[in-house]
Amino acid sequence: MNKYYIQLGNTPELSLQELSSVLGEGRVTKIATHLALVELKNDDSAKELIDVLGGSVKIIKEILRFKGNEKTDKDGKVREVVAEEKIIETVADHLLTKEGKKVHFGFSEYGRDHLPKIEYYEIKSKIEQGGKSARFVEGSRLGLSAAVLIHKKRIVEIYIIQIADGVFMGETLATQNIDLWTLKDRGKPYFDKKKGMLPPKVAKMMLNIALGDNPPVDARKNILLDPFVGTGTVLIE
């Protein structure tokens, strides 16, 4: 089993409930407001999972845990501290294992707002010293947008995740298909603003939460009651 971090969407509590319903109680650990940790059999399972969920944005595979030193901060909290140079070198070494003469990469940090930002150009320099050219794709400190990752498939996005259990390095493995959700939202043959605008992602989350509590038994099929009499969003999902 491998460890994967799930980046939750704009309604993280609902996203977390959906994830727990799909995977089963006890298999999901909330580690931050917008981040959950799960164990899955393999990468294929993770890629399949992102297509099932409506409320999760990314799945990040844990690659390694850094060995750091414990330090007590001014608030009395004990944190694990990893030298910036070690992080830069480890990230560069990992990116150098990728195929091709040029590496396109994004670099993101989670749970490290209390620390200085690691500068991308230092990672880029290490990669070039290792014999490859490198191009950095800029995004927010918390990660590249789903649109960038979907439309520019060559990008490798590396995460440094700092939580209570330690400091970890991960790589974005799967991203929510925002193009498909846009098509579902805008491509319906009929819509009426007066009847409400239920987003397809929310409809998907609602269904996943319901199905998690009522799994099919033997040959019995689940029956869905759709009381909204709207534009068919729930029925489509």
Side-chain angles (χ1 to χ4, degrees):
M1 298 291 279
N2 299 310
K3 291 184 178 180
Y4 299 86
Y5 298 91
I6 313 294
Q7 185 178 328
L8 306 174
N10 293 330
T11 53
E13 292 301 326
L14 190 60
S15 301
L16 192 67
Q17 180 61 54
E18 178 197 27
L19 189 59
S20 296
S21 296
V22 169
L23 294 180
E25 291 295 332
R27 291 190 58 191
V28 180
T29 303
K30 179 182 177 181
I31 58 176
T33 302
H34 286 84
L35 206 64
L37 178 64
V38 303
E39 289 191 0
L40 300 171
K41 185 168 57 177
N42 51 41
D43 292 355
D44 288 338
S45 299
K47 291 174 182 178
E48 290 169 4
L49 179 62
I50 197 70
D51 292 331
V52 171
L53 300 170
S56 296
V57 181
K58 293 179 187 175
I59 299 182
I60 303 158
K61 182 179 181 180
E62 183 180 300
I63 298 170
L64 59 84
R65 173 177 177 168
F66 288 97
K67 293 181 180 178
N69 301 312
E70 289 188 349
K71 183 178 179 181
T72 304
D73 62 19
K74 60 182 180 181
D75 298 323
K77 293 182 179 179
V78 178
R79 300 180 186 271
E80 191 165 358
V81 179
V82 179
E84 184 176 307
E85 294 78 9
K86 185 175 183 179
I87 292 175
I88 292 168
E89 187 172 344
T90 303
V91 171
D93 287 344
H94 177 72
L95 290 170
L96 282 167
T97 66
K98 301 298 178 180
E99 294 182 358
K101 296 180 179 180
K102 186 170 185 177
V103 180
H104 299 254
F105 75 99
F107 180 73
S108 309
E109 300 180 76
Y110 197 98
R112 292 171 55 83
D113 294 343
H114 60 292
L115 295 169
K117 180 180 178 181
I118 294 176
E119 297 296 343
Y120 76 88
Y121 59 82
E122 297 189 33
I123 300 172
K124 185 175 183 292
S125 177
K126 285 284 185 182
I127 294 171
E128 291 170 347
Q129 289 173 24
K132 289 189 177 185
S133 60
R135 175 176 176 264
F136 175 70
V137 182
E138 191 170 1
S140 78
R141 192 175 185 185
L142 295 178
L144 296 171
S145 69
V148 169
L149 292 171
I150 286 290
H151 297 139
K152 298 181 180 179
K153 298 185 183 298
R154 289 192 297 170
I155 299 171
V156 180
E157 184 182 34
I158 299 298
Y159 267 88
I160 301 300
I161 299 171
Q162 186 150 347
I163 55 178
D165 292 340
V167 184
F168 302 84
M169 183 170 81
E171 180 179 331
T172 300
L173 181 71
T175 308
Q176 190 179 66
N177 189 340
I178 58 169
D179 290 344
L180 178 59
W181 287 114
T182 300
L183 179 63
K184 286 182 177 184
D185 197 24
R186 300 178 184 175
K188 286 184 293 187
Y190 168 75
F191 67 92
D192 186 337
K193 292 181 180 179
K194 293 182 179 179
K195 288 186 177 181
M197 301 288 283
L198 177 65
K201 291 182 183 180
V202 177
K204 185 69 169 180
M205 285 190 278
M206 292 164 61
L207 289 169
N208 278 332
I209 291 169
L211 289 170
D213 293 335
N214 299 278
V217 177
D218 299 327
R220 187 199 78 191
K221 294 183 179 179
N222 284 320
I223 297 174
L224 171 68
L225 171 64
D226 178 12
F228 302 114
V229 195
T231 59
T233 305
V234 171
L235 295 178
I236 290 171
E237 293 307 317

